[in-house]
Amino acid sequence: MRDKKNTYDTIVVGAGIAGLGVAAILSKEAGQKVLVLDRFPMTGGRMMSYEGYPEKGWRADIGLHIVELGEKASCTKLNERVGKKVEWAPFSKTVDIWDGEKFISVAELVPMTQEDKKAFAEMLAGIAKMTDAEIEAWDNRSLEEWLIENVPQKAVRELFTDLGMIMTTIPHAIDMAAGEVLFIARDNLLNTRQVLQASYPIDGMEGITRGLVEVIRENGGEIRLNCDVQRVIVENKKAVGVRIPTKKHPYQEEYRMLETEDLYADRVVCALPIYKLSRIIDFNPKTSPLPRWWVKRITDIQNEITGLIGFMIGLSEPVIDPKKLCFFSALKMKHAGYPFQACPASNFSDQVAPSGKQLLHTDLVCEHAEASDKFERERLLNLMWEDLREMFPGIEEKVEWKLPYYVDGCDGLARQPGLVGNFKPALKAPGIPNLYFAGDTYLGRGLAINGAARSSMKCADLIMKDMKG
């Protein structure tokens, strides 16, 4: 007999924006009794905010964040759908690129004639008119191929490649999925008339998820943190719930065999990225409840992800003009040898740093192999600091605190040909009709947070459609 206290309509594993989004929609629109579980002590997933770090007045995020489309983003639409509002700073006005000696505008990086500028404008106008089907046809081909076939001007190809690097965090056009770059560009052109626009939430990244948490609780839902789900329970080709630990264990993690209890639900949503799925689903081909072809597909692509390694830096005084709303990038750093990104978050929001001080988010973009290796991370951080000293003169003397970090899988699946659009894993498990998935590594387009938000709305709509039969 199942205890009603341990039985829910839907259990969601993962309290990032995708998991919170699914739970918020189902609790508000479908009146479901939902339970959200997460192993961390706070909600947010890869976009947590830490208020008061290292002292009152500062707010540090996990990783570098500046959100594509800002007030017109998918994560804004997700919040609006459940009756919540996100407060946004103005759009970033420029993207400055490091040319090896100084920061210059993207336009300065690629000198263009008047004829080139006209061709660039015509290319963007054409992208804005592309249909979904036309874009999807390029999901399995590279941006380089699209440019060769559609853009004869070399300068225009170079400039759009630079913009594609910022969108995808992939340095070479041959490795970028044309469909994803074209979709992001079209989305921005239709919403902002610019090829790439981004902003930062006034309250930091928590400002995007706080309302979703409120909706879940306002509608009788439950969120349990510090709860490391052990497995999804599948019986007779149906997900019946999850298994969680009943209490803390005195052994170190590698020696633990936990005592557990089972929680039951009509359906389970895994809002973990695919590279974490094997933590809660049996991937052994001999015993997995899922088809071998699906397990192999997930196993084959689960490490096709990019990583971020960088510093959150609290500065006693600015190294960047506090009035400058700008995103900084480099195609390749001199010392570290990888693409670079930076955002002075305190320029966008006065809620993240004390008055007169500056919070600078920085990172380099690398492969999964580098981000997951602690020795390589340390080496790259040391080299990156040499680059930062050259890029922002005087930064070392102004550092009040410096927090190194890394994020493996920063943007979900790498935006490479064959890994975007309908090539991404579906939102429902094959052969298990009540096991669903949501997040930036599953079906759904858009940069990072927006991809996850889109996926959550698609997943919630699919669940409600299935409920109606």
Side-chain angles (χ1 to χ4, degrees), residues 19 30 84 112 119 142 150 171-172 182 213 259 266 285 313 315 318 321 357 360 382 385 426 448 455 466:
K84 296 297 179 177
M112 300 177 74
S142 73
N150 293 276
H172 305 297
L182 293 169
V213 171
E259 296 179 51
D266 293 334
I313 306 173
L315 299 165
D321 181 352
K357 301 185 179 184
L360 181 61
N382 290 334
W385 186 245
S455 179
D466 288 348

Side-chain angles (χ1 to χ4, degrees), residues 121-254:
E122 291 174 349
M123 179 193 71
L124 296 184
I127 291 172
K129 294 177 182 178
M130 291 184 76
T131 65
D132 288 344
E134 288 172 331
I135 289 175
E136 288 171 5
W138 285 93
D139 282 341
N140 201 30
R141 299 183 66 189
S142 73
L143 181 63
E144 182 175 285
E145 293 173 280
W146 185 86
L147 289 170
I148 289 172
E149 292 185 22
N150 293 276
V151 183
Q153 297 83 2
K154 182 180 178 182
V156 177
R157 293 200 298 265
E158 289 180 0
L159 178 55
F160 200 62
T161 296
D162 294 341
L163 293 170
M165 187 281 291
I166 297 170
M167 296 178 194
T168 63
T169 62
I170 296 171
H172 305 297
I174 191 66
D175 297 320
M176 302 176 199
E180 192 73 354
V181 175
L182 293 169
F183 175 85
I184 293 167
R186 186 192 67 174
D187 209 21
N188 277 268
L189 288 165
L190 294 178
N191 282 284
T192 69
R193 298 185 179 180
Q194 299 290 327
V195 70
L196 188 60
Q197 280 278 42
S199 185
Y200 185 80
I202 295 293
D203 292 336
M205 303 317 292
E206 187 189 359
I208 298 177
T209 57
R210 183 189 301 122
L212 303 176
V213 171
E214 291 171 355
V215 168
I216 293 166
R217 289 175 172 156
E218 288 166 358
N219 288 277
E222 183 182 347
I223 299 174
R224 293 193 202 178
L225 303 175
N226 288 313
C227 184
D228 193 2
V229 173
Q230 300 300 292
R231 70 181 300 153
V232 174
I233 306 169
V234 179
E235 297 175 357
N236 300 318
K237 299 294 183 179
K238 186 176 181 182
V240 298
V242 299
R243 185 158 294 155
I244 64 171
T246 56
K247 58 185 177 181
K248 292 183 179 180
H249 201 292
Y251 292 176
Q252 296 299 317
E253 186 173 359
E254 57 264 37

Side-chain angles (χ1 to χ4, degrees), residues 229-354:
V229 173
Q230 300 300 292
R231 70 181 300 153
V232 174
I233 306 169
V234 179
E235 297 175 357
N236 300 318
K237 299 294 183 179
K238 186 176 181 182
V240 298
V242 299
R243 185 158 294 155
I244 64 171
T246 56
K247 58 185 177 181
K248 292 183 179 180
H249 201 292
Y251 292 176
Q252 296 299 317
E253 186 173 359
E254 57 264 37
Y255 303 117
R256 290 177 189 163
M257 288 291 288
L258 295 164
E259 296 179 51
T260 61
E261 67 172 319
D262 295 343
L263 306 177
Y264 299 98
D266 293 334
R267 65 197 58 81
V268 175
V269 179
C270 296
L272 302 179
I274 62 167
Y275 48 87
K276 299 289 187 183
L277 277 186
S278 61
R279 293 171 57 96
I280 61 171
I281 296 177
D282 181 6
F283 267 30
N284 185 331
K286 295 181 179 180
T287 56
S288 178
L290 289 154
R292 289 191 179 189
W293 64 264
W294 187 90
V295 172
K296 185 178 187 305
R297 167 66 173 161
I298 300 300
T299 304
D300 285 348
I301 66 174
Q302 65 182 352
N303 290 327
E304 295 293 341
I305 53 179
T306 53
L308 299 181
I309 301 173
F311 297 100
M312 296 288 114
I313 306 173
L315 299 165
S316 58
E317 56 183 282
V319 295
I320 299 165
D321 181 352
K323 295 181 181 179
K324 187 169 186 177
L325 300 178
C326 185
F327 185 79
F328 296 88
S329 187
L331 302 180
K332 185 177 181 180
M333 286 187 286
K334 175 182 175 182
H335 298 285
Y338 282 89
F340 166 79
Q341 304 175 131
C343 171
S346 53
N347 286 22
F348 292 83
S349 170
D350 60 7
Q351 303 295 310
V352 299

